[in-house]
């Protein structure tokens, strides 16, 4: 919440610096300082998670388990903060499902853990995507999430350590592959292909994907709209069901760690990053600078709507403890969740009906 207040306080500064930016300056900044920077952070954090799990396996203390859990949460941040730009290699190379398929197939995972198979990175690689990635690691590190979001280190078995080491190594490999696809080579079948950051930041008639800067800007806006719709009408609405009796905990993302609301908030933070050009300590320009050239009031209103959505998502958290998975089974928690969903859908409509048309003005 403190971060949200700081972002709100910076609105005037961002507007002043971003207003004069050209389309090419916006594209360059967002491509290099938001998207590429996020993927580099993701690869770095995933490597840290792999190292933390190996330390835990070698010395399974409560302190090392807490460090591995913290490393999982830290890795989750850049990944969830990338979901407004799930285009390019993360889509064309099929990396998204390798990292973040959910719900987890717990029955099959438990069956593998009970088997006599040696669990290696290549073994996990050959399994279904719902048996690898973030949520497999989450389940093993945090437990089932039903009454608590942690478990004692003594509950981890030798087989679970084998699986943890293999799947965190694979996560680190896949995130490094994603970062490399943006920085150096987006097409492994064509060694001369550049990093995707060079493709998206150089639109033109000879560009295979983006014939104009408008095409890049539309990619940015459609990416923001896509995750707004997914959070509102998939990640939140699906587990809620039609009423409290049809709420389904099995459809909640990140239920084991109770990290769902942080995931959703970081999803919308990715919208904020593309829109303003903010990422970590880096300032704009982002898409907002383009909108400001057409309608300064609209540009500011959209930024306010984004921040409001993030605050409403955090407000869903139950006062007595728990996360989204607990809130949807209470009337007041469902009311707070519905308020956030309504705001997300309203922001989606603003993007579609008011922001998207500015690209042609």
């Amino acid at each position: 919440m403190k971060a949200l207040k700081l972002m709100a306080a910076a609105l005037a500064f961002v507007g002043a610096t971003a207003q004069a930016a050209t389309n090419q300056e916006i594209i360059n900044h967002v491509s290099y300082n938001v998207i590429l920077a996020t993927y580099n952070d993701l690869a770095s954090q995933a490597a840290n998670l792999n190292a933390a799990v190996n330390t835990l396996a070698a010395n399974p203390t409560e302190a090392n388990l807490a460090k591995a859990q913290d490393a999982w949460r830290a890795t989750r941040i850049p990944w969830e903060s990338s979901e407004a730009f799930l285009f390019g290699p993360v889509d064309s190379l099929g990396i998204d499902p390798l990292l973040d398929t959910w719900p987890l197939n717990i029955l099959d995972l438990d069956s593998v853990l009970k088997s006599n198979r040696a669990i290696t990175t290549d073994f996990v690689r050959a399994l279904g995507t719902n048996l690898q990635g973030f949520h497999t690691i989450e389940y093993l590190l945090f437990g089932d999430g039903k009454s608590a979001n942690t478990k004692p280190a003594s509950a981890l078995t030798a087989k679970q350590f084998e699986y943890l080491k293999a799947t965190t190594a694979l996560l680190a490999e896949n995130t490094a592959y994603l970062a490399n696809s943006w920085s150096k080579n987006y097409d492994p079948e064509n060694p001369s292909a550049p990093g995707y950051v060079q493709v998206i930041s150089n639109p033109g008639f000879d560009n295979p994907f983006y014939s104009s800067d408008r095409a890049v800007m539309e990619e940015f806006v459609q990416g923001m709209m896509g995750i707004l719709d997914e959070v509102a009408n998939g990640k939140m609405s699906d587990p809620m069901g039609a009423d409290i009796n049809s709420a389904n905990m099995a459809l909640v993302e990140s239920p084991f760690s109770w990290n769902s609301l942080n995931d959703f908030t970081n999803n919308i933070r990715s919208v904020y990053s593309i829109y303003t050009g903010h990422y970590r300590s880096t300032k704009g320009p982002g898409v907002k600078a383009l909108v400001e050239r057409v309608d300064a009031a609209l540009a500011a209103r959209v930024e306010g709507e984004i921040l409001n959505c993030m605050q409403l998502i955090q407000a869903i958290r139950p006062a007595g403890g728990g996360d989204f998975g607990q809130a949807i089974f209470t009337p007041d928690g469902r009311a707070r969740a519905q308020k956030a969903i309504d705001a997300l859908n309203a922001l989606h409509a603003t993007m579609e009906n008011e922001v998207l048309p500015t690209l042609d003005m």
Side-chain angles (χ1 to χ4, degrees):
M1 296 299 288
K2 183 179 179 181
L4 298 185
K5 292 178 181 177
L6 289 174
M7 283 190 285
L11 291 184
F13 172 79
V14 174
T17 57
Q19 191 168 12
T22 66
N23 286 355
Q24 189 58 57
E25 287 170 337
I26 295 168
I27 291 169
N28 281 346
H29 179 79
V30 170
S31 300
Y32 281 89
N33 299 320
V34 176
I35 300 177
L36 180 59
T38 301
Y39 285 138
N40 284 337
D41 283 350
L42 174 64
S44 176
Q45 293 292 353
N48 291 341
L49 172 59
N50 183 220
V53 162
N54 286 335
T55 298
L56 171 64
N59 188 13
T61 65
E62 296 300 331
N64 284 336
L65 174 57
K67 289 178 181 177
Q69 291 170 335
D70 287 345
W72 183 89
R73 293 189 185 95
T75 309
R76 197 75 180 151
I77 293 172
W79 171 246
E80 293 301 308
S81 300
S82 77
E83 294 209 12
F85 39 93
L86 291 181
F87 47 73
V90 70
D91 178 42
S92 64
L93 299 179
I95 297 175
D96 184 356
L98 296 175
L99 302 182
D100 200 25
T101 292
W102 61 280
L104 170 68
N105 187 338
I106 294 177
L107 287 177
D108 282 0
L109 176 60
D110 287 343
S111 177
V112 171
L113 292 170
K114 291 176 183 176
S115 75
N116 294 321
R117 296 291 302 268
I119 299 173
T120 65
T121 300
D122 284 339
F123 174 76
V124 175
R125 192 196 315 276
L127 298 175
T129 57
N130 57 1
L131 290 173
Q132 54 185 280
F134 274 110
H135 299 301
T136 302
I137 301 166
E138 180 195 9
Y139 176 66
L140 295 173
L141 286 178
F142 292 89
D144 63 17
K146 292 179 180 177
S147 59
N149 61 342
T150 189
K151 67 180 186 181
S154 59
L156 283 157
T157 68
K159 210 69 174 178
Q160 288 178 345
F161 280 127
E162 282 184 39
Y163 208 109
L164 269 172
K165 289 194 295 183
T167 195
T168 55
L170 189 56
L171 186 84
E173 178 186 312
N174 286 327
T175 55
Y177 182 44
L178 176 57
N180 183 76
S181 70
W182 269 83
S183 62
K184 296 179 180 176
N185 174 251
Y186 76 84
D187 182 0
E189 295 183 358
N190 177 11
S192 65
Y196 202 77
V197 71
Q198 295 181 49
V199 174
I200 199 169
S201 61
N202 290 284
F205 289 119
D206 58 347
N207 188 305
F209 303 107
Y210 305 100
S211 60
S212 65
D213 56 8
R214 188 206 180 283
V216 178
M217 292 294 190
E218 180 165 354
E219 184 88 287
F220 290 162
V221 176
Q222 293 287 358
M224 291 189 285
M225 290 169 56
I227 191 59
L228 287 169
D229 177 66
E230 183 177 344
V231 173
N233 304 310
K235 293 186 178 191
M236 294 177 68
S237 292
D238 286 350
M240 286 180 67
D243 53 45
I244 200 166
N245 295 317
S246 58
N248 188 350
M249 184 73 168
L251 298 180
V252 175
E253 187 177 25
S254 298
F256 315 122
S257 58
W258 294 5
N259 204 59
S260 310
L261 293 173
N262 288 337
D263 280 2
F264 304 159
T265 302
N266 284 320
N267 289 159
I268 307 310
R269 194 181 305 279
S270 71
V271 174
Y272 186 83
S273 292
I274 295 293
Y275 185 70
T276 64
H278 270 35
Y279 180 67
R280 297 170 68 87
S281 61
T282 302
K283 306 299 180 184
V287 171
K288 179 184 176 185
L290 182 151
V291 180
E292 278 179 331
R293 295 203 300 264
V294 178
D295 187 337
L298 170 63
R301 174 160 58 85
V302 171
E303 185 171 359
E305 288 188 36
I306 298 171
L307 292 171
N308 183 53
C309 285
M310 295 165 70
Q311 290 171 335
L312 289 174
I313 290 169
Q314 283 294 311
I316 298 169
R317 194 178 307 282
D323 199 68
F324 183 70
Q326 287 69 45
I328 61 175
F329 289 95
T330 65
D332 59 331
R334 292 178 65 85
R336 294 193 300 276
Q338 189 59 54
K339 188 175 181 180
I341 290 171
D342 292 343
L344 289 163
N345 281 325
L347 176 56
H348 182 278
T350 300
M351 288 280 184
E352 184 173 31
N353 300 325
E354 300 184 68
V355 172
L356 202 53
T358 65
L359 303 185
D360 297 318
M361 296 179 183

